[in-house]
């Protein structure tokens, strides 16, 4: 762990630097696979599933039988936990629904804004040892609330041609309309272009390794939208002597176990707290199954002492953490003043893992400083805002002159004509 | 004009095809300029301003004197028109403000969502013969309502080192905090990396030629967000015998004068209306100053006859027009059923130019089929949605078990520990 005392503002950007990735090598591979899937469809998808997942599949769509089998294999305990999480996510995201906003901006000029669902969306759920069924909840629940017609889920098959049952269970529970056994670059390419079995979608959501990340970026060049750019997960905790060192350590470690490139930062106005957290980390880390991963992330972690809350807040806004935990005497100071963070966790009994699973907030959040300019996934991520307007004869008489003058000044005569003709016709009828 | 009668659904994608652009050549140039601006800052910016705009500037920031001069040079008539438009845009976008949404998802688990402004934004306004001061209103007004701290505007200088006075007037009126005389790729690169005089921003908005478009795409690879991907402007009108042919023709022409690559489509259930509009276009086009441009766009335009409203709506949703005008007997059928459109204009007295300038809706809209997955610019475009949560002892007791079970099932032991430690401490104190 790197302890840093009272860093000057000039050194912040260096201290808060995130690891840079080189994606040039990957890009060539991703482009090639995209080209092949675009041209050959399922044939290419099968080929790459064979190569990357080591399994030849006759049929890549998950059947109802497989779903039933998965449902039967999940313990009641896990089913209840998933149901509780789903209910909370449903409640929080349902509350985000917005009504039509209507304004008569000038007499006779009625404008309104309405949100309508994106009709076809794709969810990518990685395979591997940690089956991220929680991410299925985080994406499929708001998609269903939004009213998306088609909710396609792609996840790679294991060596036996199966998808983890918890993923299938969650997908079935949350209204996914089609589940396909395909992973990696070929999954993203399939949802971008559409194949015989994979529907083309308008927006792709979900996490993934660096191949998937680059593939999602490439998809945007073919008209597909994505949830947000991805990077390693990160957590920043601000804590003072009112915090419980063991809790803070456990939160930092829950971030550290994600991956060796996870970003873990503690900012504190108390040197005592920093030392106590450091000790607690040593104790707790020894018992973790993912100790090797956590140790690497912790080795790169930063424990930063600053003199007061004002400096701390400034430094945190400069960093823009994905997850931000506040355990201080003056929590409101931080929660009111934070501008750049994905999700904020307040108080000693609000661990990050609550938001990762079951409190109801979304865990798909901007990393890598993107909290400065991107929202985390929320109900609106599955909708588009559209505007409507209806102008009466009186209305066009009220604003027509202004339109004519502005169109003329911009040199757009036909724009002006469209108003002039209408005004003239109204005059004629008088 | 291409008249098409009753096209079968299989031919729609061909008929509705938009022109494809090749951007490979441009990309090399854009990348080079980015690299140079990143490395050399203002020195590189000055160099490219000399090359592309033909002027060497000692100072590229617009001074208060220049702004005052611009204000003095604008006619009262234009000032009044801009003020009227600004008021309507302000009213419509202010109405889009949302309150904090708070939900207690489970007893003791309080979650809320709040929107906070993106702190630094950049607006790009093209130069050239048509000074797009209306776009200044469309971007700066909602940015100011959102509460963005820094609103930087870049626009290229003319041969005399000036920016069009109407642009300066509008920028000053709407709360732009800094105006810089820089255009094209070097402007986007400057706002991406920051230079001695150009502030680094978090999100870039605004239209531009294909160089600017590719530069904005490249900016996203360096952590900057953009409003949306850009393409040629487009209009689709659906009209029947209740429409006024002269009005429809004037709307199609106001789209056509934008550029030779503008997309202009009329869909109708009336062959009589189609023929009448065709005649009106011939009459009106002859008088336009931008006749040459409009003629080329009109030559590629499509007049499509379909048998009924249901087919028409399906075809229109498949296309996803930027601007969608409805002039039919059953307007509600279309306005209720349209899922893919940027902005919708309803009735005979609602020309597209109303929304372009003064009705209050935003004119920065998704083109190129992006209406299927992107919102037009609105108040939220200048904000990020953040979530917050505060859990009590009771709350973590209520959801703790579910978190533990799910974390365990995902193989993330440290996530579980963060809860287990807290629950144990609560138990101990009992």
């Amino acid at each position: 762990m790197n302890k840093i005392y009272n860093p000057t503002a000039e050194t912040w950007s260096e201290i808060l630097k995130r690891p840079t990735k080189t994606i040039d090598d990957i890009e060539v591979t991703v482009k090639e696979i995209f080209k092949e899937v675009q041209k050959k469809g399922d044939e290419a998808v099968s080929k790459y599933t064979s190569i990357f997942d080591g399994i030849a599949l006759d049929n890549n769509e998950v059947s109802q039988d497989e779903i039933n089998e998965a449902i039967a294999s999940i313990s009641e305990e896990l089913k209840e936990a998933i149901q509780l999480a789903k209910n909370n996510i449903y409640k929080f995201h349902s509350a985000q629904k917005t009504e039509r906003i209507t304004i008569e901006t000038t007499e006779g000029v009625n404008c309104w804004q309405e949100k309508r669902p994106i009709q076809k969306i794709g969810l990518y759920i990685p395979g591997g040892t940690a089956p991220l069924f929680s991410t299925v909840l985080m994406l499929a629940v708001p998609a269903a609330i939004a009213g998306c017609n088609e909710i396609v889920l792609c996840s790679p098959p294991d060596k036996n041609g199966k998808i983890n049952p918890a993923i299938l269970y969650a997908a079935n529970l949350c209204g996914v309309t089609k589940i396909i056994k395909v992973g990696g670059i070929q999954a993203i390419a399939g949802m971008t272009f559409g194949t015989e079995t994979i529907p083309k979608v308008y927006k792709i959501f979900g996490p993934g390794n660096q191949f998937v990340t680059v593939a999602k970026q490439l998809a945007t060049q073919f008209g597909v939208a994505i949830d947000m750019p991805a990077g390693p997960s990160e957590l920043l905790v601000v804590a003072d002597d009112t915090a419980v060192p063991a809790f803070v350590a456990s939160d930092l470690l829950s971030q550290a176990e994600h991956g060796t490139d996870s970003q873990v930062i503690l900012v504190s106005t108390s040197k005592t707290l920093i030392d106590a957290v450091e000790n607690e980390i040593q104790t707790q880390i020894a018992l973790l199954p993912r100790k090797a991963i956590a140790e690497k992330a912790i080795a790169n972690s930063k424990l930063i002492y600053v003199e007061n809350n004002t400096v701390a807040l400034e430094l945190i806004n400069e960093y823009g953490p994905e997850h931000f935990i506040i355990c201080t005497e003056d929590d409101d100071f931080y929660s009111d003043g934070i501008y750049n963070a994905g999700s904020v966790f307040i108080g000693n009994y609000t661990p990050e893992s609550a938001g990762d699973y079951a409190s109801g907030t979304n865990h798909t959040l901007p990393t890598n400083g993107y909290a400065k300019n991107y929202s985390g996934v929320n109900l609106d991520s599955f909708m588009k805002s559209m505007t409507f307007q209806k102008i009466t004869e009186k209305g066009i008489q009220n604003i027509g002159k202004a339109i004519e003058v502005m169109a003329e000044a911009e040199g757009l005569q036909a724009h002006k004509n469209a108003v002039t003709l209408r005004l003239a016709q109204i005059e004629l009828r008088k």
Side-chain angles (χ1 to χ4, degrees), chain A residues 66-85:
Chain A
E66 286 177 282
I67 292 170
N68 295 341
E69 212 177 283
I71 295 171
S73 77
I74 302 287
S75 73
E76 279 310 312
E77 191 182 43
L78 183 55
K79 277 182 190 167
E80 276 167 29
I82 289 176
Q83 190 62 57
L84 181 147

Side-chain angles (χ1 to χ4, degrees), chain A residues 179-417:
Chain A
I179 309 172
I180 300 169
K181 294 181 229 177
V182 56
I185 304 166
Q186 62 273 24
I188 306 299
M191 292 193 280
T192 300
F193 301 115
T195 70
E196 298 87 326
T197 59
I198 309 172
K200 176 180 166 55
V201 302
Y202 298 154
K203 189 167 182 177
I204 299 175
F205 295 78
N209 59 22
Q210 48 187 349
F211 292 97
V212 171
T213 299
V214 173
K216 280 172 66 187
Q217 277 168 3
L218 187 61
T220 65
Q221 292 186 23
F222 295 95
V224 177
I226 61 170
D227 47 0
M228 68 189 80
S233 193
E234 50 194 40
L235 168 66
L236 187 147
V237 180
V238 64
D240 61 18
D241 290 322
T242 67
V244 181
F247 296 176
V248 173
S250 73
D251 291 328
L252 294 172
L253 284 170
S254 73
Q255 187 57 41
E257 77 172 340
H258 269 301
T260 54
D261 55 359
S262 283
Q263 300 287 296
V264 178
I265 298 176
L266 170 65
V267 175
S268 182
T269 51
S270 159
K271 290 181 189 170
T272 322
L273 188 272
I274 286 179
D275 293 340
V277 169
E278 196 178 18
N279 285 334
E280 271 292 338
I281 287 177
Q282 301 308 345
T283 313
Q284 293 181 27
I285 202 169
L287 305 166
L288 290 182
R290 292 167 76 98
K291 186 183 162 199
I293 291 171
E295 272 177 342
K296 278 197 187 151
I298 287 293
N300 292 319
S301 70
K302 309 230 159 71
L303 312 177
I304 305 173
Y305 167 81
V306 293
E307 298 235 314
N308 58 54
N309 289 339
T310 307
V311 177
L313 180 61
E314 211 175 314
L315 179 139
I316 296 161
N317 271 322
E318 182 65 31
Y319 181 65
E322 179 192 12
H323 304 98
F324 175 39
I325 296 182
I326 305 170
C327 293
T328 63
E329 208 175 346
D330 190 2
D331 290 344
D332 288 350
F333 173 79
Y334 287 98
S335 63
D336 291 345
I338 183 71
Y339 273 79
N340 301 323
S343 194
V344 182
F345 302 76
I346 302 164
N348 281 320
Y349 293 95
T350 314
E352 189 209 299
S353 41
D356 287 340
Y357 290 110
S359 65
T361 60
N362 210 291
H363 78 196
T364 308
L365 297 167
T367 56
N368 209 27
Y370 284 115
K372 291 175 181 168
N373 41 17
Y374 286 86
S375 303
V377 165
N378 61 82
L379 185 63
D380 281 350
S381 310
F382 300 89
M383 309 188 89
K384 307 152 297 170
S385 155
M386 288 166 60
T387 53
F388 298 76
Q389 54 204 294
K390 190 168 185 172
I391 303 178
T392 63
E393 293 188 25
K394 178 78 188 155
I396 196 72
Q397 284 179 308
N398 283 334
I399 65 170
K401 177 73 189 297
I403 300 169
E404 290 178 317
V405 170
M406 290 173 78
E408 175 96 42
E410 286 194 354
L412 296 173
Q413 194 65 37
H415 282 64
K416 182 183 175 184
N417 282 357

Side-chain angles (χ1 to χ4, degrees), chain A residues 67-179:
Chain A
I67 292 170
N68 295 341
E69 212 177 283
I71 295 171
S73 77
I74 302 287
S75 73
E76 279 310 312
E77 191 182 43
L78 183 55
K79 277 182 190 167
E80 276 167 29
I82 289 176
Q83 190 62 57
L84 181 147
K86 188 201 156 189
N87 290 348
N88 284 351
I89 296 165
Y90 185 88
K91 279 184 210 164
F92 188 58
H93 289 78
S94 291
Q96 294 168 23
K97 274 188 203 164
T98 43
E99 296 298 312
R100 175 195 280 203
I101 293 166
T102 309
I103 290 287
E104 190 175 20
T105 54
T106 294
E107 196 196 336
V109 181
N110 290 289
C111 302
W112 64 100
Q113 182 198 43
E114 227 174 281
K115 285 168 190 163
R116 301 210 168 162
I118 297 174
Q119 296 188 283
K120 305 174 186 187
I121 62 145
L123 314 182
Y124 183 78
I125 304 295
T129 49
L132 299 181
F133 58 85
S134 60
T135 305
V136 180
L137 301 178
M138 295 294 174
L139 300 176
V141 170
I145 298 169
C148 303
N149 282 350
E150 265 186 87
I151 306 175
V152 178
L153 185 150
C154 290
S155 192
D158 64 17
K159 298 265 182 249
N160 304 312
K162 298 279 182 194
I163 291 179
N164 182 287
I167 290 176
L168 296 185
Y169 174 75
N172 182 64
L173 185 71
C174 300
V176 168
T177 55
K178 196 170 191 178
I179 309 172

